[in-house]
Amino acid sequence: MPVFKCILKILRANITFFLIYIIGLSFMGIGIASSLSSEPTTGAFEIDRATYAVVDRDKSALSEGVAAFLGEHGDAVAVEDDEFALQNVIAKGAVDYLLVIPAGYGEQFAQAVRDGKELPAMDAAYSFISLAGIFMDQQVDGYVSLVRTLMTAHPHDAVADLTTQAAKYFEDSVDASYISTAVDVSAADQFSVFLGWSIYTLFTGIVVCVGNILGVMGRPDLRRRNLASALPQGRYNLQLALGCLVITLVSWGWTFGLGIAVYHDAAFSIGLAGVALCGAAMLALCLFAFSFALILGQSGASLLACNAWGNIVGLVIAFLGGTWVPLSLMSSEVLAVAHWLPGYWYSSALEEAITVGATPTLAGALPALQCIGVLLLFAAACFCISLVVARLRAQTSEAGGNLTAPATLS
Amino acid sequence: MAPIVSVKNLVKRYDSVLALDHFDLEINQGEVFGLLGPNGSGKTTAINCILQLLTYEKGQIDLFGRPMTATSYDLKRRIGVVPQNVAVFDELTVYENIDYFCSLYVKESSKRKPLVEEAIAFVGLEEQVGMRPKKLSGGLVRRLNIACGIAHKPELIFFDEPTVAVDPQSRASILQGIKEMTRRGSTIIYTSHYMEEVEEICTRIMIMDKGRTLACGTNEQLKELVAAGEKIVIEADVPEAALIKMRALPHVLSAVYADGRLEVACENGEHNVADVLAELAKAHISPGRIWAEPPTLNDVFLEITGRQLRD
């Protein structure tokens, strides 16, 4: 088995890819699935008080009212009325909100109310690290608008009274609480999320590892040397396929085994038949990835190309398989596209398999089996394409020449 | 005794290009057969056809007296190939590379181990057995390339330009190794751009161009094909008038003067040097260094093909 052993040595030399894509990303899948928590929420809310600074250059009843209003809703930070200090306090994120009330603001405000014109503006700046400042500014706008309304309605009342009255309206608040959705995340759900995440893990991992090995073995000079050797071509191809298939099966075994080991409770809740169907669906997905890698390998793709194809196609298949956005939230147009990719059928197979029950009937298991069948058709289609690519490439001298010479006599 | 390699009437086309034009070849056991030709002359194509790596339109190829086909694995077992480009795995160590290629011919690891170790010693890579090819210098990688082709001790070895881009020290080592293989009884087919290498190691040489055999024979036989018997080189200031008189001398084929050097090509003759020096004396020319040399393979190649080998 020299070719088989050689494949394992090539894998050993590039073990980083296997460790990253198959081992590392499967653990990431465990992390993502386990982060789906069924812990109940506390239901308690706490008002988040923003920090603010006010520079009052007006010193009028209105400006003092605005400052007092802010004091009710946030924590004041003292700042000097100096250009550098004002820039610094925002640039360093010392406050969420900075309000500068210009001199004469109170007078201009009263005049605008009397004339029915637009209110004078105050200078405001917000922190770039939170939205609390913007929210506070909206509150100030609301407060000032309310003062204007009150001033219009009671033109002879003192401004200080009007600002106090306006502030009282803002003291009212609405009670808020969480509404329990009554959805408990089970081990089966976590197992399902892990299996869904594995679309990307397995596809990319297998494509990169197997594609790279086939790319190395298909290097024209090495290929010529192998072809010229005493090892029959059939046995060479068989060992090559076997080596790549073993990598595929190890990837599948590791990922599925890890899922079962971590979410063993899921096995009990889903049932043996359901778990077996999940495993079969994952195996079919792996065979698709294997066939896709064959196309890349036979076309002489480099390691970089295998990485690129594996990642890009893996992400597309995973996305359209509902790994990140549930299929139920996708538009009909996106779903129509998803039908043409194996990720959709894999997710559908998992969905059907998980609900198949502990004692399934053939009719009950049929939807899952149909989805697995579609996955296998995808794999078969890619395998056929890889054979065509291999045949075409074998006839080019760049790939090491053609295999057989006719025994034509002169 | 049947020749080890027999190629008759081989025709190979690449679309409209005729790569091999009714090419014939016969190589006997123990020979080191040199295949000379400029780029695109058909050397590598001929080798690839013999190894059944390429199909061909017409022709008969026999190795060891039996027809060679793509599935003649018993014949392939007796052949070693050292390709023009280095064909080793970057992912495997020196030892693993040689062991892998040897295992394509020798199944049993117990039999293989001494062969691999012998090949390593033969090319002098004992200190690099655990290294990967990327860690080796260009010359050492070439040696590894050779070791991978000869570890199974083949009876017939194809060396396709094994010394391209190799430092002089490694080249000398490779040529020494090939001579040693010949002493052990291997038959070798050697292609190269380097005339001096071919002259040094080959017992018989074929010059080919445009897919056809132009000449074939021993080094001496090939040199006899050219008219020039010797070349006399003289360092002196030679005026045009003296040059004209020089060309008129009997046995002189050509006289060329450039950069202070006069090169006179002569037919075989007993007094060529004396005649040329006498002519110089008549013209009152004092020569500096004088030497005469027999024609080289390069002169043969130039005369037969009308161009330099490396054109």
Side-chain angles (χ1 to χ4, degrees):
Chain A
M1 301 282 276
V3 180
F4 179 77
K5 287 179 188 168
C6 183
I7 285 171
L8 296 184
K9 286 172 185 168
I10 294 170
L11 179 68
R12 181 197 61 192
N14 294 301
I15 196 68
T16 317
F17 293 108
F18 188 85
L19 292 176
I20 290 174
Y21 286 113
I22 302 295
I23 309 292
L25 287 184
S26 62
F27 276 114
M28 188 187 282
I30 292 289
I32 290 169
S34 299
S35 67
L36 289 177
S37 173
S38 57
E39 292 287 313
T41 49
T42 62
F45 282 95
E46 188 180 332
I47 294 172
D48 182 31
R49 288 174 69 83
T51 54
Y52 75 95
V54 177
V55 176
D56 187 358
R57 294 172 182 163
D58 188 35
K59 303 292 182 190
S60 66
L62 178 60
S63 67
E64 283 169 4
V66 171
F69 170 75
L70 282 172
E72 293 294 321
H73 296 88
D75 296 325
V77 173
V79 60
E80 283 181 40
D81 188 4
D82 167 72
E83 189 180 355
F84 179 78
L86 294 178
Q87 286 177 3
N88 214 23
V89 77
I90 286 294
K92 289 187 173 177
V95 295
D96 295 319
Y97 182 57
L98 172 67
L99 183 68
V100 179
I101 305 172
Y105 176 77
E107 272 303 311
Q108 290 167 13
F109 186 93
Q111 188 63 44
V113 172
R114 280 196 295 275
D115 298 346
K117 291 184 176 174
E118 194 176 335
L119 294 176
M122 293 183 281
D123 293 327
Y126 325 113
S127 165
F128 58 91
I129 53 175
S130 86
L131 293 174
I134 295 172
F135 180 63
M136 206 162 209
D137 191 52
Q138 287 172 350
Q139 284 184 303
V140 169
D141 282 347
Y143 172 78
V144 168
S145 294
L146 189 56
V147 172
R148 176 194 183 140
T149 305
L150 291 171
M151 198 176 276
T152 308
H154 309 285
H156 304 296
D157 288 6
V159 174
D161 294 341
L162 295 175
T163 55
T164 308
Q165 199 177 338
K168 279 184 181 169
Y169 284 106
F170 278 86
E171 285 174 1
D172 294 335
S173 62
V174 178
D175 289 333
S177 63
Y178 281 112
I179 299 169
S180 173
T181 54
V183 174
D184 287 330
V185 179
S186 65
D189 294 328
Q190 291 177 325
F191 183 55
S192 176
V193 168
F194 171 74
L195 294 181
W197 166 260
S198 302
I199 297 178
Y200 174 67
T201 306
L202 286 170
F203 181 83
T204 310
I206 291 169
V207 166
V208 172
C209 293
V210 173
N212 176 44
I213 283 167
L214 290 170
V216 170
M217 297 301 287
R219 263 178 48 199
D221 300 323
L222 289 170
R223 188 176 142 79
R224 277 194 201 100
R225 206 163 201 167
N226 282 317
L227 284 173
S229 78
L231 184 71
Q233 196 56 32
R235 276 163 59 185
Y236 172 84
N237 287 336
L238 195 66
Q239 289 184 41
L240 189 61
L242 186 66
C244 293
L245 203 57
V246 164
I247 293 169
T248 304
L249 292 176
V250 167
S251 304
W252 167 75
W254 163 263
T255 309
F256 193 65
L258 183 69
I260 292 288
V262 175
Y263 303 111
H264 47 83
D265 290 346
F268 293 109
S269 60
I270 294 170
L272 190 61
V275 171
L277 284 171
C278 287
M282 188 182 268
L283 182 59
L285 179 79
C286 289
L287 291 176
F288 166 72
F290 169 76
S291 302
F292 190 86
L294 285 184
I295 297 176
L296 289 179
Q298 299 293 3
S299 57
S302 65
L303 180 59
L304 192 66
C306 288
N307 262 296
W309 277 101
N311 275 289
I312 294 168
V313 178
L315 286 170
V316 170
I317 289 175
F319 174 75
L320 292 176
T323 298
W324 293 291
V325 178
L327 291 172
S328 57
L329 295 180
M330 289 182 183
S331 66
S332 56
E333 290 83 4
V334 176
L335 277 177
V337 175
H339 274 76
W340 293 95
L341 291 169
Y344 172 85
W345 297 99
Y346 173 70
S347 295
S348 301
L350 291 181
E351 200 176 308
E352 298 291 349
I354 284 171
T355 55
V356 81
T359 52
T361 58
L362 183 61
L366 201 57
L369 289 171
Q370 282 173 338
C371 293
I372 293 169
V374 176
L375 272 173
L376 289 173
L377 285 176
F378 271 107
C382 278
F383 185 74
C384 291
I385 293 170
S386 77
L387 291 180
V388 173
V389 171
R391 181 70 187 162
L392 291 173
R393 190 156 184 264
Q395 290 168 346
T396 64
S397 56
E398 290 80 15
N402 37 24
L403 299 181
T404 53
T408 311
L409 294 172
S410 55
Chain B
M1 190 178 180
I4 296 287
V5 178
S6 167
V7 177
K8 287 178 186 160
N9 219 15
L10 191 63
V11 176
K12 169 68 186 173
R13 281 180 187 281
Y14 293 114
D15 297 324
S16 60
V17 179
L18 190 57
L20 291 174
D21 184 7
H22 298 86
F23 178 74
D24 293 321
L25 177 68
E26 240 177 47
I27 299 168
N28 298 313
Q29 186 170 6
E31 279 192 303
V32 180
F33 191 86
L35 215 49
L36 270 178
N39 283 333
S41 60
K43 306 186 296 286
T44 302
T45 299
I47 288 178
N48 284 342
C49 285
I50 294 169
L51 292 171
Q52 303 295 310
L53 295 173
L54 288 172
T55 56
Y56 41 90
E57 278 67 37
K58 197 172 158 187
Q60 174 69 39
I61 297 170
D62 292 328
L63 297 183
F64 305 101
R66 290 160 56 194
M68 175 69 171
T69 67
T71 54
S72 301
Y73 297 113
D74 52 339
L75 294 181
K76 287 183 175 182
R77 199 174 297 282
R78 301 164 72 179
I79 299 171
V81 182
V82 179
Q84 185 175 345
N85 296 324
V86 173
V88 297
F89 290 98
D90 292 334
E91 295 80 5
L92 272 56
T93 63
V94 165
Y95 187 94
E96 287 169 343
N97 262 299
I98 300 170
D99 185 54
Y100 167 75
F101 287 108
C102 190
S103 71
L104 300 178
Y105 300 87
V106 182
K107 281 183 190 173
E108 299 85 354
S109 60
S110 57
K111 283 186 187 172
R112 209 163 58 233
K113 194 166 183 286
L115 290 174
V116 172
E117 284 169 356
E118 194 177 332
I120 288 169
F122 188 78
V123 295
L125 287 174
E126 295 97 329
E127 291 176 11
Q128 289 84 17
V129 284
M131 288 186 185
R132 289 193 175 152
K134 281 188 177 173
K135 298 274 183 188
L136 302 179
S137 66
L140 293 181
V141 172
R142 282 275 166 192
R143 291 195 213 177
L144 171 62
N145 195 37
I146 291 171
C148 291
I150 61 155
H152 60 288
K153 291 201 170 171
E155 296 166 54
L156 172 65
I157 311 171
F158 291 82
F159 281 96
D160 194 0
E161 306 203 22
T163 55
V164 169
V166 166
D167 60 282
Q169 194 182 348
S170 292
R171 178 178 294 175
S173 168
I174 290 167
L175 295 180
Q176 194 57 39
I178 290 170
K179 286 178 187 169
E180 178 59 27
M181 276 180 255
T182 316
R183 274 195 288 277
R184 292 179 186 181
S186 296
T187 304
I188 287 165
I189 299 180
Y190 189 91
T191 76
S192 180
H193 271 126
Y194 301 108
M195 295 287 190
E196 34 322 334
E197 283 180 11
V198 175
E199 276 192 274
E200 184 183 340
I201 64 168
C202 293
T203 53
R204 213 147 59 89
I205 299 159
M206 174 184 276
I207 296 175
M208 64 184 296
D209 196 14
K210 295 174 183 168
R212 304 189 73 161
T213 306
L214 299 181
C216 185
T218 62
N219 193 8
E220 291 71 28
Q221 285 171 336
L222 287 179
K223 284 175 183 174
E224 282 172 11
L225 291 175
V226 296
E230 65 181 329
K231 185 166 66 182
I232 301 163
V233 184
I234 301 162
E235 289 180 349
D237 292 327
V238 182
E240 184 61 28
L243 205 58
I244 292 167
K245 286 182 180 175
M246 197 77 72
R247 286 173 186 145
L249 286 173
H251 300 300
V252 169
L253 297 168
S254 68
V256 180
Y257 180 72
D259 300 329
R261 273 168 61 129
L262 173 66
E263 288 188 8
V264 185
C266 306
E267 292 173 353
N268 282 319
E270 291 181 5
H271 311 294
N272 287 335
V273 176
D275 292 348
V276 168
L277 289 177
E279 195 59 40
L280 288 175
K282 278 186 204 168
H284 307 290
I285 296 167
S286 302
R289 290 194 300 160
I290 305 167
W291 69 93
E293 55 190 30
T296 63
L297 209 50
N298 200 41
D299 297 323
V300 177
F301 192 86
L302 187 62
E303 190 159 326
I304 291 176
T305 66
R307 52 179 170 156
Q308 294 282 351
L309 183 59
R310 293 181 188 90
D311 280 355

